[in-house]
mmCIF file of all heavy atoms in Angstrom:
data_model
loop_
_atom_site.group_PDB
_atom_site.id
_atom_site.type_symbol
_atom_site.label_atom_id
_atom_site.label_comp_id
_atom_site.label_asym_id
_atom_site.label_seq_id
_atom_site.Cartn_x
_atom_site.Cartn_y
_atom_site.Cartn_z
ATOM 1 N N ARG A 240 87.776 -106.333 35.199
ATOM 2 C CA ARG A 240 87.566 -107.503 36.048
ATOM 3 C C ARG A 240 87.060 -107.068 37.426
ATOM 4 O O ARG A 240 87.403 -105.986 37.899
ATOM 5 C CB ARG A 240 88.859 -108.303 36.178
ATOM 6 C CG ARG A 240 89.312 -108.920 34.848
ATOM 7 C CD ARG A 240 90.441 -109.904 35.042
ATOM 8 N NE ARG A 240 90.864 -110.528 33.788
ATOM 9 C CZ ARG A 240 90.279 -111.589 33.246
ATOM 10 N NH1 ARG A 240 89.231 -112.150 33.843
ATOM 11 N NH2 ARG A 240 90.730 -112.105 32.116
ATOM 12 N N PRO A 241 86.244 -107.924 38.078
ATOM 13 C CA PRO A 241 85.701 -107.557 39.389
ATOM 14 C C PRO A 241 86.795 -107.476 40.455
ATOM 15 O O PRO A 241 87.653 -108.356 40.554
ATOM 16 C CB PRO A 241 84.722 -108.701 39.710
ATOM 17 C CG PRO A 241 84.478 -109.395 38.410
ATOM 18 C CD PRO A 241 85.720 -109.221 37.595
ATOM 19 N N VAL A 242 86.750 -106.409 41.237
ATOM 20 C CA VAL A 242 87.648 -106.213 42.374
ATOM 21 C C VAL A 242 86.789 -105.774 43.549
ATOM 22 O O VAL A 242 85.907 -104.920 43.391
ATOM 23 C CB VAL A 242 88.713 -105.131 42.079
ATOM 24 C CG1 VAL A 242 89.717 -105.044 43.218
ATOM 25 C CG2 VAL A 242 89.423 -105.406 40.763
ATOM 26 N N SER A 243 87.032 -106.332 44.729
ATOM 27 C CA SER A 243 86.229 -105.963 45.895
ATOM 28 C C SER A 243 87.070 -105.961 47.162
ATOM 29 O O SER A 243 88.114 -106.614 47.230
ATOM 30 C CB SER A 243 85.038 -106.920 46.057
ATOM 31 O OG SER A 243 85.478 -108.252 46.268
ATOM 32 N N TRP A 244 86.600 -105.191 48.139
ATOM 33 C CA TRP A 244 87.238 -105.096 49.447
ATOM 34 C C TRP A 244 86.145 -105.114 50.516
ATOM 35 O O TRP A 244 85.138 -104.414 50.389
ATOM 36 C CB TRP A 244 87.985 -103.782 49.631
ATOM 37 C CG TRP A 244 89.080 -103.443 48.696
ATOM 38 C CD1 TRP A 244 90.426 -103.502 48.935
ATOM 39 C CD2 TRP A 244 88.957 -102.915 47.366
ATOM 40 N NE1 TRP A 244 91.135 -103.053 47.842
ATOM 41 C CE2 TRP A 244 90.262 -102.692 46.876
ATOM 42 C CE3 TRP A 244 87.863 -102.603 46.550
ATOM 43 C CZ2 TRP A 244 90.489 -102.170 45.603
ATOM 44 C CZ3 TRP A 244 88.096 -102.103 45.276
ATOM 45 C CH2 TRP A 244 89.405 -101.883 44.822
ATOM 46 N N PRO A 245 86.322 -105.851 51.611
ATOM 47 C CA PRO A 245 85.391 -105.731 52.730
ATOM 48 C C PRO A 245 85.653 -104.438 53.495
ATOM 49 O O PRO A 245 86.803 -104.057 53.710
ATOM 50 C CB PRO A 245 85.723 -106.952 53.598
ATOM 51 C CG PRO A 245 87.174 -107.223 53.306
ATOM 52 C CD PRO A 245 87.386 -106.846 51.858
ATOM 53 N N VAL A 246 84.601 -103.742 53.870
ATOM 54 C CA VAL A 246 84.731 -102.525 54.671
ATOM 55 C C VAL A 246 84.531 -102.900 56.140
ATOM 56 O O VAL A 246 83.528 -103.523 56.509
ATOM 57 C CB VAL A 246 83.684 -101.470 54.253
ATOM 58 C CG1 VAL A 246 83.752 -100.245 55.178
ATOM 59 C CG2 VAL A 246 83.922 -101.038 52.819
ATOM 60 N N ASN A 247 85.501 -102.530 56.966
ATOM 61 C CA ASN A 247 85.440 -102.831 58.401
ATOM 62 C C ASN A 247 85.346 -101.523 59.194
ATOM 63 O O ASN A 247 85.942 -100.508 58.802
ATOM 64 C CB ASN A 247 86.691 -103.590 58.827
ATOM 65 C CG ASN A 247 86.880 -104.877 58.040
ATOM 66 O OD1 ASN A 247 86.018 -105.743 58.055
ATOM 67 N ND2 ASN A 247 87.998 -104.985 57.332
ATOM 68 N N MET A 248 84.629 -101.573 60.302
ATOM 69 C CA MET A 248 84.449 -100.365 61.118
ATOM 70 C C MET A 248 84.486 -100.676 62.604
ATOM 71 O O MET A 248 83.986 -101.724 63.035
ATOM 72 C CB MET A 248 83.102 -99.698 60.798
ATOM 73 C CG MET A 248 83.100 -98.809 59.590
ATOM 74 S SD MET A 248 81.487 -97.987 59.380
ATOM 75 C CE MET A 248 80.531 -99.316 58.637
ATOM 76 N N ARG A 249 85.058 -99.756 63.348
ATOM 77 C CA ARG A 249 84.868 -99.702 64.802
ATOM 78 C C ARG A 249 84.105 -98.408 65.074
ATOM 79 O O ARG A 249 84.569 -97.311 64.764
ATOM 80 C CB ARG A 249 86.211 -99.685 65.542
ATOM 81 C CG ARG A 249 87.078 -100.908 65.305
ATOM 82 C CD ARG A 249 86.527 -102.190 65.921
ATOM 83 N NE ARG A 249 86.375 -102.133 67.343
ATOM 84 C CZ ARG A 249 87.352 -102.416 68.220
ATOM 85 N NH1 ARG A 249 88.547 -102.755 67.768
ATOM 86 N NH2 ARG A 249 87.134 -102.374 69.517
ATOM 87 N N LEU A 250 82.912 -98.542 65.607
ATOM 88 C CA LEU A 250 82.023 -97.414 65.836
ATOM 89 C C LEU A 250 81.812 -97.204 67.323
ATOM 90 O O LEU A 250 81.635 -98.168 68.071
ATOM 91 C CB LEU A 250 80.648 -97.668 65.203
ATOM 92 C CG LEU A 250 80.510 -97.593 63.686
ATOM 93 C CD1 LEU A 250 79.101 -98.022 63.302
ATOM 94 C CD2 LEU A 250 80.804 -96.194 63.189
ATOM 95 N N GLY A 251 81.800 -95.933 67.738
ATOM 96 C CA GLY A 251 81.571 -95.653 69.133
ATOM 97 C C GLY A 251 80.902 -94.316 69.346
ATOM 98 O O GLY A 251 80.844 -93.475 68.442
ATOM 99 N N THR A 252 80.377 -94.129 70.542
ATOM 100 C CA THR A 252 79.765 -92.872 70.948
ATOM 101 C C THR A 252 80.670 -92.179 71.953
ATOM 102 O O THR A 252 81.156 -92.812 72.898
ATOM 103 C CB THR A 252 78.381 -93.108 71.565
ATOM 104 O OG1 THR A 252 77.549 -93.771 70.615
ATOM 105 C CG2 THR A 252 77.732 -91.789 71.975
#
Side-chain angles (χ1 to χ4, degrees):
R240 295 190 179 276
V242 186
S243 62
W244 301 256
V246 175
N247 302 301
M248 277 184 281
R249 299 291 300 274
L250 287 174
T252 302

